[in-house]
């Protein structure tokens, strides 16, 4: 019984301590690195202009997989962290901003004094929407070297 428990403990510890493979993008100029772990949602554009959005998985040292599509490291044109929540907030802010700007046009046509306030609020909301999802930069192959690390 002790052997069975110890073997089970060894297998569990191997799976929890095992190193995961990651995709590393190293800047060619300053050497700063960005790591993409397996399971991270990314948007990849290949050199032949195919686009893939989904969860990243490292297949081997030269190939990664995005939603079942194999991409060679030498074929990566650009890669970007592509979170779902940030895009939703961005689209909501764009929609609200557009609605306020249209509302300012209606209020202006009705000669209401609130047209300027609606226009400024709509513009500020649209600008905020544009800035929401800009924390993840697109890493382009001209400036970065891509490799798999453990």
């Amino acid at each position: 019984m002790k052997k069975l428990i110890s073997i089970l403990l060894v297998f569990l510890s191997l799976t929890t301590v095992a190193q995961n493979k990651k995709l590393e993008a190293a800047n060619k100029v300053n050497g700063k690195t960005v790591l993409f772990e397996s399971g991270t949602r990314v948007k990849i554009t290949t050199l032949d202009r195919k686009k893939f959005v989904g969860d990243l998985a490292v297949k081997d040292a030269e190939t990664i997989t995005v939603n079942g599509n194999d991409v060679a490291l030498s074929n990566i044109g650009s890669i970007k962290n592509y979170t779902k929540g940030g895009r939703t907030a961005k689209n909501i802010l764009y929609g609200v901003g557009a609605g306020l700007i249209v509302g300012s046009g209606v209020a202006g046509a009705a000669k209401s004094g609130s047209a300027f306030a609606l226009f400024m609020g709509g513009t500020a909301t649209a600008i905020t929407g544009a800035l929401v999802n800009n924390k993840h930069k697109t890493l382009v192959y001209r400036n970065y070297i891509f490799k798999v690390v453990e």
Side-chain angles (χ1 to χ4, degrees):
M1 186 65 175
K2 287 184 180 181
K3 285 185 179 183
L4 180 63
I5 291 174
S6 62
I7 290 173
L8 183 64
L9 184 63
V10 167
F11 281 126
L12 288 176
S13 65
L14 283 176
T15 58
T16 58
V17 180
Q19 294 182 355
N20 293 332
K21 293 183 180 180
K22 300 173 187 168
L23 177 66
E24 179 184 73
N27 191 315
K28 291 180 181 177
V29 177
N30 59 17
K32 289 184 181 178
T33 61
V34 178
L35 291 175
F36 295 94
E37 295 186 14
S38 293
T40 303
R41 185 173 160 84
V42 295
K43 178 180 181 181
I44 289 185
T45 304
T46 61
L47 293 176
D48 51 353
R49 300 290 182 228
K50 293 181 183 175
K51 294 181 182 179
F52 303 109
V53 176
D55 295 333
L56 174 78
V58 178
K59 189 172 186 180
D60 56 33
E62 295 296 321
T63 309
I64 60 172
T65 304
V66 178
N67 275 358
N69 301 308
D70 292 342
V71 178
L73 292 183
S74 60
N75 195 25
I76 295 175
S78 66
I79 186 168
K80 179 180 184 177
N81 224 346
Y82 202 71
T83 58
K84 282 187 178 179
R87 299 295 297 179
T88 303
K90 182 176 199 153
N91 292 340
I92 289 171
L93 288 172
Y94 273 152
V96 169
L100 288 173
I101 291 172
V102 168
S104 74
V106 171
K111 304 221 187 312
S112 174
S114 64
F116 183 72
L118 285 173
F119 180 77
M120 292 307 292
T123 304
T125 305
I127 290 172
T128 303
L131 297 175
V132 163
N133 202 26
N134 287 343
K135 62 183 174 182
H136 302 296
K137 292 183 178 180
T138 301
L139 309 178
V140 183
Y141 74 98
R142 290 184 300 271
N143 303 328
Y144 287 86
I145 299 171
F146 303 107
K147 62 182 175 180
V148 173
V149 295
E150 290 202 30

